Each structure stands twice: as C-alpha cells, then as structure tokens.
Short mmCIF file of all heavy atoms in Angstrom, two decimals:
data_model
loop_
_atom_site.label_atom_id
_atom_site.label_comp_id
_atom_site.label_asym_id
_atom_site.label_seq_id
_atom_site.Cartn_x
_atom_site.Cartn_y
_atom_site.Cartn_z
N GLU A 1 0.82 -1.21 0.00
CA GLU A 1 0.00 0.00 0.00
C GLU A 1 0.86 1.27 0.00
O GLU A 1 0.39 2.34 -0.35
CB GLU A 1 -0.91 0.02 1.24
CG GLU A 1 -1.87 -1.16 1.34
CD GLU A 1 -2.60 -1.16 2.67
OE1 GLU A 1 -2.54 -0.13 3.39
OE2 GLU A 1 -3.23 -2.18 3.01
N LEU A 2 2.10 1.15 0.43
CA LEU A 2 2.98 2.32 0.53
C LEU A 2 3.61 2.61 -0.82
O LEU A 2 3.99 1.69 -1.55
CB LEU A 2 4.07 2.05 1.58
CG LEU A 2 3.53 1.69 2.98
CD1 LEU A 2 4.68 1.33 3.91
CD2 LEU A 2 2.72 2.84 3.55
N PRO A 3 3.77 3.90 -1.18
CA PRO A 3 4.27 4.25 -2.53
C PRO A 3 5.66 3.72 -2.84
O PRO A 3 5.90 3.20 -3.94
CB PRO A 3 4.23 5.78 -2.53
CG PRO A 3 4.20 6.17 -1.08
CD PRO A 3 3.48 5.08 -0.37
N ASP A 4 6.61 3.87 -1.93
CA ASP A 4 7.97 3.41 -2.17
C ASP A 4 8.35 2.22 -1.31
O ASP A 4 9.36 1.56 -1.56
CB ASP A 4 8.97 4.55 -1.90
CG ASP A 4 8.69 5.76 -2.80
OD1 ASP A 4 8.46 5.55 -4.00
OD2 ASP A 4 8.71 6.89 -2.29
N CYS A 5 7.58 2.00 -0.26
CA CYS A 5 7.79 0.88 0.66
C CYS A 5 9.20 0.89 1.25
O CYS A 5 9.90 -0.13 1.25
CB CYS A 5 7.50 -0.45 -0.03
SG CYS A 5 7.19 -1.78 1.15
N THR A 6 9.64 2.05 1.70
CA THR A 6 10.92 2.13 2.39
C THR A 6 10.73 1.67 3.83
O THR A 6 9.62 1.61 4.36
CB THR A 6 11.47 3.56 2.38
OG1 THR A 6 10.57 4.41 3.12
CG2 THR A 6 11.61 4.08 0.96
N LYS A 7 11.83 1.36 4.45
CA LYS A 7 11.78 0.91 5.84
C LYS A 7 11.20 2.01 6.72
O LYS A 7 10.40 1.76 7.62
CB LYS A 7 13.18 0.53 6.31
CG LYS A 7 13.20 -0.20 7.64
CD LYS A 7 14.57 -0.77 7.93
CE LYS A 7 14.54 -1.59 9.22
NZ LYS A 7 15.85 -2.22 9.51
N ARG A 8 11.60 3.26 6.47
CA ARG A 8 11.08 4.37 7.27
C ARG A 8 9.57 4.53 7.09
O ARG A 8 8.85 4.81 8.05
CB ARG A 8 11.80 5.67 6.90
CG ARG A 8 11.33 6.86 7.74
CD ARG A 8 11.92 8.17 7.27
NE ARG A 8 11.25 9.30 7.89
CZ ARG A 8 11.66 9.91 8.99
NH1 ARG A 8 12.76 9.51 9.59
NH2 ARG A 8 10.98 10.93 9.48
N GLN A 9 9.07 4.33 5.86
CA GLN A 9 7.63 4.44 5.63
C GLN A 9 6.86 3.41 6.45
O GLN A 9 5.81 3.71 7.04
CB GLN A 9 7.31 4.26 4.15
CG GLN A 9 7.59 5.47 3.28
CD GLN A 9 7.20 5.23 1.84
OE1 GLN A 9 7.39 4.13 1.31
NE2 GLN A 9 6.65 6.25 1.21
N VAL A 10 7.37 2.20 6.50
CA VAL A 10 6.72 1.14 7.28
C VAL A 10 6.70 1.53 8.76
O VAL A 10 5.69 1.38 9.45
CB VAL A 10 7.44 -0.21 7.08
CG1 VAL A 10 6.89 -1.27 8.02
CG2 VAL A 10 7.30 -0.67 5.63
N ILE A 11 7.83 2.05 9.24
CA ILE A 11 7.92 2.44 10.65
C ILE A 11 6.96 3.58 10.94
O ILE A 11 6.26 3.59 11.97
CB ILE A 11 9.37 2.83 11.00
CG1 ILE A 11 10.27 1.58 10.96
CG2 ILE A 11 9.46 3.49 12.37
CD1 ILE A 11 11.75 1.89 11.04
N GLU A 12 6.87 4.56 10.05
CA GLU A 12 5.96 5.69 10.24
C GLU A 12 4.51 5.23 10.29
O GLU A 12 3.71 5.71 11.11
CB GLU A 12 6.14 6.72 9.13
CG GLU A 12 7.44 7.52 9.23
CD GLU A 12 7.63 8.46 8.06
OE1 GLU A 12 6.99 8.22 6.99
OE2 GLU A 12 8.40 9.42 8.18
N LYS A 13 4.16 4.29 9.41
CA LYS A 13 2.77 3.79 9.40
C LYS A 13 2.47 3.00 10.68
O LYS A 13 1.37 3.09 11.23
CB LYS A 13 2.52 2.93 8.17
CG LYS A 13 1.06 2.51 8.00
CD LYS A 13 0.77 2.00 6.63
CE LYS A 13 -0.67 1.50 6.49
NZ LYS A 13 -1.66 2.55 6.80
N LEU A 14 3.44 2.26 11.16
CA LEU A 14 3.24 1.52 12.41
C LEU A 14 3.05 2.46 13.60
O LEU A 14 2.20 2.22 14.46
CB LEU A 14 4.41 0.58 12.66
CG LEU A 14 4.46 -0.69 11.81
CD1 LEU A 14 5.81 -1.39 11.94
CD2 LEU A 14 3.34 -1.65 12.20
N THR A 15 3.83 3.53 13.65
CA THR A 15 3.64 4.49 14.75
C THR A 15 2.26 5.13 14.67
O THR A 15 1.66 5.45 15.69
CB THR A 15 4.72 5.59 14.73
OG1 THR A 15 4.68 6.31 13.49
CG2 THR A 15 6.11 4.99 14.91
N GLY A 16 1.73 5.28 13.45
CA GLY A 16 0.38 5.81 13.30
C GLY A 16 -0.70 4.86 13.79
O GLY A 16 -1.85 5.28 14.02
N ASP A 17 -0.36 3.58 13.93
CA ASP A 17 -1.32 2.58 14.43
C ASP A 17 -1.36 2.53 15.95
O ASP A 17 -2.15 1.77 16.52
CB ASP A 17 -0.96 1.19 13.90
CG ASP A 17 -1.25 1.02 12.42
OD1 ASP A 17 -2.01 1.83 11.88
OD2 ASP A 17 -0.71 0.08 11.81
N LEU A 18 -0.51 3.31 16.62
CA LEU A 18 -0.52 3.32 18.09
C LEU A 18 -1.64 4.26 18.55
O LEU A 18 -1.43 5.42 18.86
CB LEU A 18 0.85 3.78 18.61
CG LEU A 18 2.03 2.86 18.28
CD1 LEU A 18 3.34 3.51 18.70
CD2 LEU A 18 1.87 1.51 18.96
N ILE A 19 -2.84 3.71 18.59
CA ILE A 19 -4.05 4.49 18.84
C ILE A 19 -4.70 3.99 20.13
O ILE A 19 -4.71 2.81 20.43
CB ILE A 19 -5.03 4.36 17.66
CG1 ILE A 19 -4.38 4.94 16.39
CG2 ILE A 19 -6.35 5.06 17.95
CD1 ILE A 19 -5.19 4.69 15.14
N TYR A 20 -5.25 4.93 20.88
CA TYR A 20 -6.01 4.59 22.09
C TYR A 20 -7.21 5.51 22.18
O TYR A 20 -7.32 6.52 21.46
CB TYR A 20 -5.12 4.73 23.33
CG TYR A 20 -4.58 6.12 23.57
CD1 TYR A 20 -5.19 6.98 24.48
CD2 TYR A 20 -3.45 6.58 22.88
CE1 TYR A 20 -4.70 8.26 24.70
CE2 TYR A 20 -2.96 7.87 23.10
CZ TYR A 20 -3.59 8.70 24.00
OH TYR A 20 -3.11 9.95 24.21
N THR A 21 -8.13 5.17 23.05
CA THR A 21 -9.37 5.95 23.22
C THR A 21 -9.35 6.65 24.58
O THR A 21 -9.11 6.02 25.61
CB THR A 21 -10.61 5.06 23.12
OG1 THR A 21 -10.62 4.40 21.85
CG2 THR A 21 -11.88 5.89 23.27
N ARG A 22 -9.57 7.95 24.56
CA ARG A 22 -9.65 8.73 25.79
C ARG A 22 -10.88 9.62 25.74
O ARG A 22 -11.06 10.37 24.79
CB ARG A 22 -8.39 9.58 25.99
CG ARG A 22 -8.42 10.47 27.23
CD ARG A 22 -7.14 11.28 27.35
NE ARG A 22 -6.02 10.45 27.72
CZ ARG A 22 -4.75 10.91 27.75
NH1 ARG A 22 -4.50 12.16 27.45
NH2 ARG A 22 -3.77 10.10 28.09
N ASN A 23 -11.73 9.50 26.73
CA ASN A 23 -12.97 10.27 26.81
C ASN A 23 -13.82 10.11 25.55
O ASN A 23 -14.43 11.05 25.05
CB ASN A 23 -12.67 11.76 27.04
CG ASN A 23 -11.95 12.01 28.35
OD1 ASN A 23 -12.18 11.31 29.33
ND2 ASN A 23 -11.07 12.99 28.37
N GLY A 24 -13.84 8.87 25.03
CA GLY A 24 -14.66 8.56 23.87
C GLY A 24 -14.07 8.94 22.53
O GLY A 24 -14.67 8.66 21.49
N ALA A 25 -12.89 9.56 22.53
CA ALA A 25 -12.27 9.98 21.27
C ALA A 25 -11.00 9.18 21.01
O ALA A 25 -10.22 8.91 21.93
CB ALA A 25 -11.95 11.47 21.33
#
C-alpha cells in the first residue's frame, strides 16, 4: 500500500497505528 515501501515508511505507518481511546475519542 505504501508508494515506495521504504523501511522508514513502514515504521511511520506503524507508529500511526498506536491508537487509544480517551474520553470517547
């Protein structure tokens, strides 16, 4: 799914998956 599929791109997308819910948001 990533345009160039560099190692940094994969790492950036993984950090974006670190999601939690606080006060319903």
Side-chain angles (χ1 to χ4, degrees):
E1 300 173 13
L2 304 175
D4 301 316
C5 200
T6 64
K7 192 170 184 177
R8 182 187 168 94
Q9 283 182 321
V10 173
I11 292 169
E12 287 176 339
K13 187 165 176 58
L14 285 168
T15 59
D17 288 342
L18 296 173
I19 297 172
Y20 61 98
T21 302
R22 177 180 289 173
N23 298 327

